[in-house]
Amino acid sequence: MVPLSRRGFLGSAAAGALAAPTVPAWLRLASPVAIASANGVKAVELAVQRMNEGWRPVDAAVAGVELVENDPEDDSVGIGGLPNEDGVVELDACVMDGPSGLGGAVAALQNIKNPAQVALKIMRHTDHVLLVGDGALRFARAHGFTEENLLTEKSRKKWLEWREKRSSIDDWISPEENGEHGKEWFRKFKHKTGTIHLGAVAANGDVGSCTTTSGLAFKLAGRVGDSPLLGCGNYCDNDVGTGGGTGRGEACILANGGSFIVHQMSLGRSPTDACMDAVKRVVRLTKVKRLLDAKGRPDFQIQFYATNKAGQFGAAAMFADRFAVCDGSGARLADMACHYDEPVK
Ligand code: GLY
């Protein structure tokens, strides 16, 4: 019998030739691997520690991002997240578990600082995938989550500054400004996006992933970004790997970033190449003038992250940026591949 190479094993698994892939001992990774956005150095470190203790990758991923959700200084996630245009913090998150193929998600959740934990409960305690708004809050209450005010003084002051200056700097757009024949339209005030995505691979090749966020700062109430949408801000397939995104959620939704990355890897693309394929897809799909800069390039940042079952990882962004990773060499920041080799304006 000809032994399968690592490449051959991945190739046939990706093609669905192995219905229930088990990883032979000789294919065990030297260490679990976790990848995240740049705000997740401690998160990837904890996720790898948990996987070394035998935790399932999805649980390890949620444990990692919880550190960031609980940090009031990170204004993109959990407590301290920047609020919507009404000054209310609304959180989005989703989780996906490779071995079971199940996912859970929550959107526009108020008053609960750990939406990724709520998403995990939805995955494990319901037949549904996504709960939103008040129903999601009632579900969280039923599972014993504690309600608290998520708007910190720092975030309230940033919201107030935006509120006082807003006039032409909100997200309400006229049809004349929109569409491919619309006018050029430059935001006077760039809306901040921030999020944490974490993709995790256990030493046996099982994968799990999670994305959590307070979404676009000062968004319209009820706006849902890519983070709680499986296939957009987060996706995984236990035969292939994980894919996720941060940055402009609307662009990630329209490109189906997460599932596109995983699909590209199933065709044999490396994690970095799959992420860059997703960036290029966003560039191709961004056609309206109001989203282009004076050089005709998308005027926003988007970042994609990927891991595969072999423990390879990679990330790519529209503009230069960094990502967090932890493997046998420890937790660190690394440069992403970038489509435009300059920092985002
Ligand atoms: N990527 C986070 C958001 O747009 O909500």
Side-chain angles (χ1 to χ4, degrees):
M1 183 180 130
V2 181
L4 280 171
S5 66
R6 185 179 293 259
R7 177 184 288 267
F9 173 80
L10 281 170
S12 38
L18 301 176
T22 49
V23 177
W26 56 269
L27 260 180
R28 277 186 73 83
L29 308 180
S31 163
V33 176
I35 186 171
S37 33
N39 54 350
V41 177
K42 290 204 167 84
V44 289
E45 189 170 36
L46 181 61
V48 166
Q49 185 187 321
R50 291 289 180 250
M51 287 189 281
N52 274 324
E53 292 163 6
W55 288 37
R56 217 169 162 91
V58 68
D59 292 305
V62 171
V65 302
E66 193 176 353
L67 294 176
V68 186
E69 289 176 333
N70 290 346
D71 177 2
E73 291 304 311
D74 190 312
D75 66 10
S76 69
V77 178
I79 192 159
L82 289 171
N84 66 19
E85 68 171 9
D86 299 331
V88 177
V89 180
E90 289 189 329
L91 303 181
D92 296 340
C94 77
V95 300
M96 196 156 177
D97 175 54
S100 67
L102 292 176
V106 65
L109 178 68
Q110 298 180 9
N111 298 346
I112 307 285
K113 72 179 173 193
N114 298 124
Q117 291 281 2
V118 180
L120 208 50
K121 293 277 186 202
I122 292 168
M123 183 180 88
R124 296 216 165 108
H125 292 265
T126 78
D127 183 38
H128 305 321
V129 171
L130 171 63
L131 294 182
V132 304
D134 190 51
L137 180 57
R138 282 189 275 132
F139 174 85
R141 271 191 210 122
H143 277 274
F145 285 85
T146 311
E147 286 181 71
E148 58 191 296
N149 178 14
L150 303 181
L151 190 65
T152 56
E153 271 305 282
K154 198 169 153 193
S155 289
R156 188 185 61 77
K157 283 183 177 148
K158 283 188 192 166
W159 169 76
L160 201 57
E161 184 195 354
W162 168 81
R163 188 74 181 78
E164 286 169 353
K165 291 182 187 158
R166 76 175 189 180
S167 61
S168 63
I169 53 176
D170 59 27
D171 284 317
W172 299 83
I173 296 166
S174 71
E176 291 73 38
E177 291 165 325
N178 218 349
E180 66 271 40
H181 303 302
K183 295 179 189 155
E184 286 176 16
W185 183 81
F186 296 104
R187 287 182 190 277
K188 289 183 190 152
F189 186 100
K190 286 256 183 185
H191 287 220
K192 184 177 183 299
T193 49
T195 298
I196 179 164
H197 166 76
L198 198 152
V201 190
N204 70 353
D206 281 347
V207 299
S209 54
C210 172
T211 302
T212 178
T213 189
S214 53
L216 188 68
F218 322 131
K219 60 195 174 186
L220 302 193
R223 177 264 190 189
V224 172
D226 58 320
S227 305
L229 301 183
L230 288 158
C232 298
N234 179 26
Y235 196 69
C236 75
D237 179 330
N238 217 47
D239 290 348
V240 183
T242 69
T246 57
R248 182 177 159 80
E250 282 70 12
C252 186
I253 294 171
L254 293 167
N256 288 182
S259 56
F260 179 77
I261 290 166
V262 172
H263 178 71
Q264 291 300 98
M265 290 194 293
S266 79
L267 300 178
R269 300 286 280 165
S270 73
T272 305
D273 288 346
C275 289
M276 186 50 83
D277 291 344
V279 173
K280 288 181 179 160
R281 181 170 158 86
V282 169
V283 172
R284 186 175 62 75
L285 293 173
T286 304
K287 299 173 185 189
V288 298
K289 276 197 186 139
R290 67 182 176 82
L291 292 174
L292 302 173
D293 68 12
K295 294 183 185 165
R297 309 176 305 181
D299 79 339
F300 53 83
Q301 179 62 311
I302 194 161
Q303 302 100 337
F304 291 112
Y305 315 84
T307 62
N308 66 21
K309 280 181 78 67
Q312 295 169 321
F313 58 84
M318 187 76 72
F319 294 95
D321 218 325
R322 309 199 86 194
F323 68 102
V325 65
C326 187
D327 55 12
S329 305
R332 58 200 182 274
L333 284 172
D335 289 333
M336 292 181 164
C338 53
H339 192 58
Y340 302 117
D341 191 13
E342 57 188 81
V344 68
K345 285 198 207 81

